[in-house]
Amino acid sequence: MSDFWRNTVTEDHDDSKKLHLTWTRVRKICFHLWRQFDDQYYAGFAAQIAYFFFMASVPMLIVLTQVLGIFDVSMDFIKDWLEAHLSTQMGSFLERLFMASSTAYTDFFMILLALWAASSLAFSLSRLTTYTISYGKYRFNFFTERLKAIPISIGSILVVAVTLVGYVYGELIAKRILRSPTLLNLISDLRTPVLALLFFVVILANYYLLPRIRVPVRAVLPGAVVATIGIMIVTWFYSLYISRAVNYNLIYGALSNIVAMMLWFYLISWVLCIGMMFNKSWDIHMQRGRLTPAKIKEYLIRQYGSNGEEMWNKLIIGEYDMADRSLDSLAVRASRKFDPGYDEKREREIAELIEARDVRERIERELEAAEAEYDKEEEK
């Protein structure tokens, strides 16, 4: 775990050479973002994140109620906000969840299970962020990424809890410390923007900490801004829709509340995906040079120090990785041993790969020799 927290990447940059945002570059960024969806990896990822979002929501509430209970903070204001922004039926549905979360899950072991379930969301986002940063070339490792998601989930829940405590008691604390009515009114007016700012910090922290390759904070800052604004816009439009679609329960009946909540999570998940993909589009068309393949390798080597090259070979999928048996996954190693005929088939595939590589290298050498000969003839 020491490698995980070791490195904070710095970068060399010259602000005088930065490009400025224009409508032409905005158009290029938008079209590049759109083209990224040609990759089928992104096609179903928002649905996957929405599923984990839904599965993690109740466990997160369980832990959140336990933390807020320490500060004697009631969850009523959250229920009122959700009911006002979603629907009366969903408000009552969430109220039953809150009641269950507040009374039925005080056991420490259940809290640990809840944290494990809540980390599923961070686990899914970890795969998305690393895949995007590595241009789809990274080698997935279930245990490493699953364990890494747990402390990040705990940190996110604690930040949300502290934020809500500050939101509820901020004005009371200010009254005890400050005596100026003007400052008190200012603090009261700033509570909602500060709440949005802290949620932005949570999104930015997840974009920065979740990828297995640590990149500079500035590289993921644009996407965090876009994701924060996008979630606010999506929630606002969704609240308008749900307040007017009074008959949406005719189709889904008793499941209407769950379906409505899943739709909300699905839209938010799309925004989180787009935010991460936006970082790459921004970096390319604003020519920041922070997320180029060469920089990504540099960050990874710097992150792991003397083991950087080894980690690069383990993490990034190479063209001839099949020929390196040390990189075989557990499934491949087990198949070689217990699946009759698989080992021979694998060896034939490796031999064909090596042969194709040798042929290509021979052709490249012949082309280089021919070009050198042509250059000599030109000089004469």
Side-chain angles (χ1 to χ4, degrees):
M1 291 296 291
S2 60
D3 286 339
F4 172 67
W5 301 106
R6 177 193 300 170
N7 183 59
T8 299
V9 174
T10 57
E11 56 174 324
D12 299 323
H13 58 273
D14 185 357
D15 292 338
S16 63
K17 296 180 180 180
K18 284 185 177 180
L19 298 179
H20 297 289
L21 191 62
T22 63
W23 283 113
T24 299
R25 293 194 181 97
V26 169
R27 186 168 63 249
K28 287 181 176 295
I29 290 172
C30 291
F31 276 104
H32 183 271
L33 185 64
W34 188 4
R35 288 195 301 273
Q36 289 184 67
F37 286 100
D38 290 341
D39 187 341
Q40 292 302 307
Y41 185 85
Y42 296 112
F45 216 90
Q48 181 183 142
I49 294 178
Y51 169 77
F52 283 127
F53 215 138
F54 181 77
M55 295 298 292
S57 59
V58 175
M60 287 178 68
L61 289 176
I62 294 172
V63 179
L64 193 58
T65 52
Q66 303 304 311
V67 175
L68 294 181
I70 298 174
F71 299 93
D72 195 26
V73 176
S74 171
M75 299 292 285
D76 290 337
F77 75 99
I78 300 180
K79 292 186 291 184
D80 294 340
W81 185 90
L82 291 173
E83 184 175 342
H85 286 78
L86 299 179
S87 70
T88 304
Q89 290 182 341
M90 188 176 294
S92 60
F93 171 70
L94 289 172
E95 186 174 358
R96 292 194 294 272
L97 291 181
F98 281 118
M99 291 175 61
S101 301
S102 300
T103 60
Y105 295 100
T106 57
D107 184 76
F108 179 73
F109 179 69
M110 292 301 297
I111 292 177
L112 290 180
L113 291 179
L115 285 172
W116 176 262
S119 65
S120 299
L121 177 60
F123 169 61
S124 186
L125 284 173
S126 173
R127 294 166 55 200
L128 171 71
T129 52
T130 308
Y131 182 89
T132 303
I133 287 175
S134 65
Y135 290 77
K137 298 293 185 180
Y138 99 103
R139 185 177 287 103
F140 170 66
N141 186 302
F142 175 83
F143 296 104
T144 300
E145 298 183 38
R146 196 67 179 82
L147 293 175
K148 181 179 177 181
I150 296 175
I152 295 176
S153 298
I154 294 174
S156 298
I157 292 174
L158 290 177
V159 169
V160 171
V162 171
T163 301
L164 295 178
V165 169
Y167 188 84
V168 174
Y169 286 125
E171 191 171 355
L172 178 61
I173 294 172
K175 284 181 180 180
R176 293 182 178 180
I177 298 176
L178 302 174
R179 302 296 181 183
S180 171
T182 304
L183 290 177
L184 289 175
N185 292 332
L186 179 62
I187 291 175
S188 179
D189 294 338
L190 289 178
R191 283 199 307 170
T192 299
V194 169
L195 184 67
L197 177 62
L198 289 175
F199 279 113
F200 158 76
V201 171
V202 172
I203 294 174
L204 178 62
N206 278 269
Y207 280 175
Y208 175 68
L209 293 174
L210 284 174
R212 296 179 67 188
I213 304 172
R214 189 66 54 78
V215 301
V217 175
R218 293 162 64 94
V220 295
L221 183 62
V225 173
V226 168
T228 303
I229 297 174
I231 289 175
M232 295 171 62
I233 294 174
V234 162
T235 302
W236 182 70
F237 274 107
Y238 182 68
S239 65
L240 292 179
Y241 165 75
I242 208 69
S243 63
R244 287 165 172 74
V246 293
N247 295 322
Y248 70 93
N249 59 340
L250 293 178
I251 299 176
Y252 296 103
L255 297 176
S256 58
N257 290 324
I258 296 177
V259 172
M261 184 180 294
M262 283 293 292
L263 176 60
W264 186 32
F265 289 161
Y266 181 68
L267 295 175
I268 291 176
S269 300
W270 264 122
V271 171
L272 291 174
C273 290
I274 290 173
M276 194 62 215
M277 297 159 66
F278 182 85
N279 289 320
K280 186 192 294 185
S281 300
W282 178 272
D283 188 75
I284 290 173
H285 293 286
M286 297 302 292
Q287 298 182 14
R288 296 300 190 248
R290 302 185 184 111
L291 296 178
T292 62
K295 276 290 186 181
I296 294 300
K297 184 173 183 178
E298 178 185 331
Y299 298 148
L300 186 67
I301 292 175
R302 195 184 309 172
Q303 180 178 344
Y304 290 96
S306 58
N307 297 325
E309 287 287 350
E310 180 183 354
M311 283 301 302
W312 173 262
N313 294 328
K314 287 183 178 180
L315 182 61
I316 302 301
I317 300 173
E319 186 176 359
Y320 304 109
D321 280 358
M322 183 185 292
D324 187 351
R325 293 165 183 79
S326 66
L327 297 176
D328 285 349
S329 67
L330 180 61
V332 171
R333 291 197 297 270
S335 298
R336 279 181 178 273
K337 188 173 182 179
F338 299 108
D339 185 0
Y342 178 81
D343 190 49
E344 292 78 6
K345 177 184 176 182
R346 182 81 172 182
E347 290 301 321
R348 287 196 301 270
E349 292 175 346
I350 292 175
E352 292 172 359
L353 178 68
I354 294 175
E355 182 181 356
R357 179 188 63 185
D358 293 341
V359 170
R360 186 167 66 180
E361 290 178 351
R362 178 174 56 80
I363 294 174
E364 289 175 352
R365 288 194 299 269
E366 291 175 354
L367 288 174
E368 290 176 359
E371 289 177 359
E373 187 66 26
Y374 177 79
D375 290 340
K376 291 180 180 178
E377 291 294 332
E378 286 292 316
E379 291 176 1
K380 292 179 181 179

